[in-house]
Amino acid sequence: EETLMIGLEGKTLQSARLTYRLLKEEDKSSLYALLNDASVTVPAGFLPAKSKEAFETFFSELTKYNTGIALLHHQQLIGYLHVNKYKTNQPEFSGKQCVGVGFVIGRAYQRQGFGTEALTYLTEYLLNRFDACFADHFQENLPSKRTIENSGYTHFEDYAMYFDGIKQEKNCASYVRRAQGVPSELGRAE
């Protein structure tokens, strides 16, 4: 299977308040501190790492394909966004290059618009490379729902999925943003 390339190797991007680059080894201790709070990780579908070794494995998986993006505010790591291949059986996306984006913002930085700023900016970047971006949230996670909607995504579908990390089945909502010129099933460009 081919590796997902998001093209951020060696690059730094900048939005109004945030700087973006691939996660690096030097981010590990800051990320560990941010993710050591179940109220931050459980809404993203996983529990805080039980040990330093478990976190090492998590960090390795997050960074191994250069798809984990550091969100920096005044050079301080405040969260991350990760990009994965996204597969859907919907015919309108057949043969299209689609990615899913997930994001986690540390407790001290939530409710300040950083998630919306990061998701909006990085989605614009990704839509120059891919046909569509998907962002999903647990139905009860209203802050994530608002962030996704405020970033220009539209509701696509609902589904239920079992999350091993929290040992629960969750009802989820999936949202999509299409690249310019990629028609919706209504036959018009978004």
Side-chain angles (χ1 to χ4, degrees), residues 5-181:
M5 300 296 290
I6 62 170
L8 263 184
E9 294 82 359
K11 290 185 189 162
T12 301
L13 305 175
Q14 184 72 45
S15 63
R17 298 178 295 166
L18 299 174
T19 303
Y20 313 95
R21 60 162 169 71
L22 293 177
L23 282 164
K24 301 178 187 173
E25 196 68 21
E26 69 214 39
D27 298 320
K28 210 181 274 187
S29 61
S30 297
L31 189 60
Y32 181 76
L34 284 179
L35 299 181
N36 211 6
D37 179 346
S39 73
V40 170
T41 63
V42 170
F46 62 98
L47 294 171
K50 287 182 169 50
S51 65
K52 284 278 193 200
E53 294 75 30
F55 183 77
E56 288 287 337
T57 302
F58 170 86
F59 190 83
S60 173
E61 286 297 311
L62 185 61
T63 57
K64 90 174 151 188
Y65 296 119
N66 290 332
T67 58
I69 303 169
L71 309 180
L72 303 161
H73 183 248
H74 300 301
Q75 302 312 307
Q76 172 72 38
L77 185 76
I78 66 162
Y80 72 92
L81 184 138
H82 63 92
V83 184
N84 298 302
K85 288 181 183 169
Y86 195 94
K87 293 189 182 5
T88 173
N89 295 326
Q90 298 296 325
E92 70 176 293
F93 294 104
S94 176
K96 302 280 190 230
Q97 294 280 344
C98 301
V99 292
V101 293
F103 56 93
V104 177
I105 304 291
R107 160 89 35 237
Y109 306 99
Q110 293 177 0
R111 301 191 186 283
Q112 297 172 51
F114 291 125
T116 300
E117 181 176 334
L119 185 59
T120 302
Y121 185 86
L122 290 169
T123 297
E124 295 292 336
Y125 168 82
L126 292 166
L127 288 176
N128 287 311
R129 300 182 71 90
F130 301 100
D131 296 309
C133 293
F134 289 82
D136 298 5
H137 68 83
F138 294 158
Q139 291 282 1
E140 72 273 10
N141 188 341
L142 298 180
S144 279
K145 174 183 166 64
R146 281 191 296 275
T147 296
I148 292 166
E149 289 175 344
N150 290 340
S151 298
Y153 283 75
T154 55
H155 184 264
F156 181 65
E157 65 184 349
D158 295 324
Y159 64 92
M161 183 172 149
Y162 185 80
F163 287 80
D164 286 335
I166 56 173
K167 304 210 180 326
Q168 286 182 31
E169 181 165 289
K170 292 296 224 171
N171 291 318
C172 304
S174 182
Y175 288 71
V176 65
R177 271 192 67 186
R178 295 168 182 83
Q180 289 298 319

